[in-house]
Amino acid sequence: MMKNSDLNAFPQKDSDDPIELSVLIPAHNEEKVIEKTIRNFARILTTQQINHEVLIVNDNSTDNTKNLLIQLSHELLSVRYIDNLTSRGFGQAVKYGLNEYHGRCVAIVMADGSDDPKDLISFYRKWCEGYDCVFGDRFAENSIVVEYPWPKLFINRLGNNLIRALFLIRYKDVSNAFKLYSRHVIDDLHPLESSGFNLTVELPLKAIVKNYTYTVTPNSWYNRNLGKSKWKINETLSEYLLIVWKCWKMKVTRKQ
């Protein structure tokens, strides 16, 4: 039996005690990194005494990911996992999780350890100030970016500048997956169309178009050193362009 002083141990929650923050992590074949990612987020949220859950969506993994999730969900009371019962894909897994989370707000986090758990605390504190959404910016003055692949960086900056021009916004990292949303915002953004990584653009753009309040806060990003990235340039560019066009069309329609 684990001791209560162990930061990886969680006290039994009162069933009437509402979960403030859900951490939603889609995971496909992440056996090399998923345990560290989960423990890091659970540890800091417990230390900060934030009532939370860590919800992992197992996205049809074929490696040992699911077995690790079973083990962690038994060991850590704030951790639970579900299987994505729809077709595989980052966006599909996130959408599945957005129908299953329990918190008053939800943060979408990558399984590969690229997002810093300390930044989530800053996101949550900002949300507590009354914002509907908190968006991360990896390219802010106080952000740290480690080993961002230059072809991906070039496309990222080009695409985000295009989005800024189309939507007349100052936010320069719309494609950043690491964001936090209030439950009422997520409920209002359905139905979501994206099935891939373009969901990272659809969610914030729809929230902005619908005039939900948001603030932007720096967050750091670290390139994975274990496992394999699921992001494919040739498979996602057309999907990004399509969803940006649809969100822009929504913006124009709402102004008429």
Side-chain angles (χ1 to χ4, degrees), residues 8 39 46-47 65 85 87 92 95 127 134 141 147-148 154 157 159 176 182 190 202 211 216:
N8 289 329
R39 288 189 183 277
T46 300
T47 301
T65 295
L85 300 180
S87 57
Q92 295 287 66
K95 287 190 293 185
W127 176 78
V134 182
E141 182 178 351
E147 296 181 359
Y148 204 112
F154 175 78
R157 296 296 78 212
N176 186 356
S182 295
H190 290 300
E202 181 182 359
N211 295 318
V216 177

Side-chain angles (χ1 to χ4, degrees), residues 7-246:
L7 287 180
N8 289 329
F10 296 84
Q12 186 68 45
K13 295 186 179 68
D14 187 325
S15 59
D16 294 327
D17 192 13
I19 293 173
E20 289 290 307
L21 171 62
S22 292
V23 184
L24 173 55
I25 307 176
H28 172 70
N29 290 349
E30 295 287 4
E31 63 180 2
K32 295 181 179 179
V33 294
I34 192 62
E35 181 174 359
K36 182 178 180 181
T37 297
I38 292 170
R39 288 189 183 277
N40 284 344
F41 276 97
R43 181 181 296 111
I44 195 167
L45 289 167
T46 300
T47 301
Q48 293 295 316
Q49 298 183 333
I50 297 172
N51 195 1
H52 69 280
E53 67 169 350
V54 181
L55 173 62
I56 307 95
V57 182
N58 174 41
D59 187 20
N60 298 277
S61 297
T62 56
D63 63 359
N64 197 42
T65 295
K66 183 169 181 175
N67 289 332
L68 289 171
L69 296 179
I70 293 172
Q71 171 190 330
L72 289 167
S73 65
H74 282 93
E75 178 184 346
L76 308 178
L77 295 181
S78 71
V79 173
R80 66 186 179 99
Y81 86 94
I82 54 176
D83 289 312
N84 175 21
L85 300 180
T86 62
S87 57
R88 188 175 72 81
F90 174 87
Q92 295 287 66
V94 171
K95 287 190 293 185
Y96 199 85
L98 289 178
N99 286 317
E100 299 291 336
Y101 75 97
H102 294 158
R104 294 180 59 223
C105 64
V106 57
I108 299 170
V109 171
M110 300 300 288
D112 60 9
S114 58
D115 299 317
D116 193 328
K118 293 191 297 293
D119 291 330
L120 180 57
I121 305 304
S122 299
F123 282 30
Y124 176 74
R125 301 301 182 204
K126 280 293 182 181
W127 176 78
C128 288
E129 293 178 13
Y131 293 100
D132 294 316
C133 314
V134 182
F135 298 157
D137 184 354
R138 296 165 291 182
F139 305 100
E141 182 178 351
N142 297 325
S143 300
I144 299 172
V145 176
V146 178
E147 296 181 359
Y148 204 112
W150 71 262
K152 185 177 177 180
L153 179 61
F154 175 78
I155 293 173
N156 178 297
R157 296 296 78 212
L158 184 65
N160 276 281
N161 285 331
L162 172 63
I163 291 172
R164 291 175 69 190
L166 283 174
F167 290 84
L168 302 176
I169 57 177
R170 298 179 63 183
Y171 180 39
K172 59 181 181 296
D173 198 12
V174 175
S175 61
N176 186 356
F178 193 11
K179 299 184 178 77
L180 184 150
Y181 301 88
S182 295
R183 174 174 286 278
H184 68 270
V185 176
I186 292 297
D187 291 345
D188 190 36
L189 298 186
H190 290 300
L192 296 166
E193 300 183 39
S194 303
S195 59
F197 284 94
N198 52 335
L199 185 66
T200 63
V201 170
E202 181 182 359
L203 284 167
L205 287 181
K206 281 188 172 180
I208 291 171
V209 167
K210 292 193 172 192
N211 295 318
Y212 284 109
T213 60
Y214 69 93
T215 187
V216 177
T217 187
N219 76 279
S220 298
W221 186 91
Y222 307 91
N223 195 15
R224 68 158 69 229
N225 50 30
L226 291 171
K228 185 177 180 181
S229 174
K230 314 304 184 296
W231 194 87
K232 301 290 189 299
I233 292 177
N234 60 334
E235 295 177 4
T236 56
L237 280 180
S238 59
E239 295 175 351
Y240 275 98
L241 290 173
L242 179 60
I243 201 62
V244 168
W245 178 80
K246 287 184 177 181

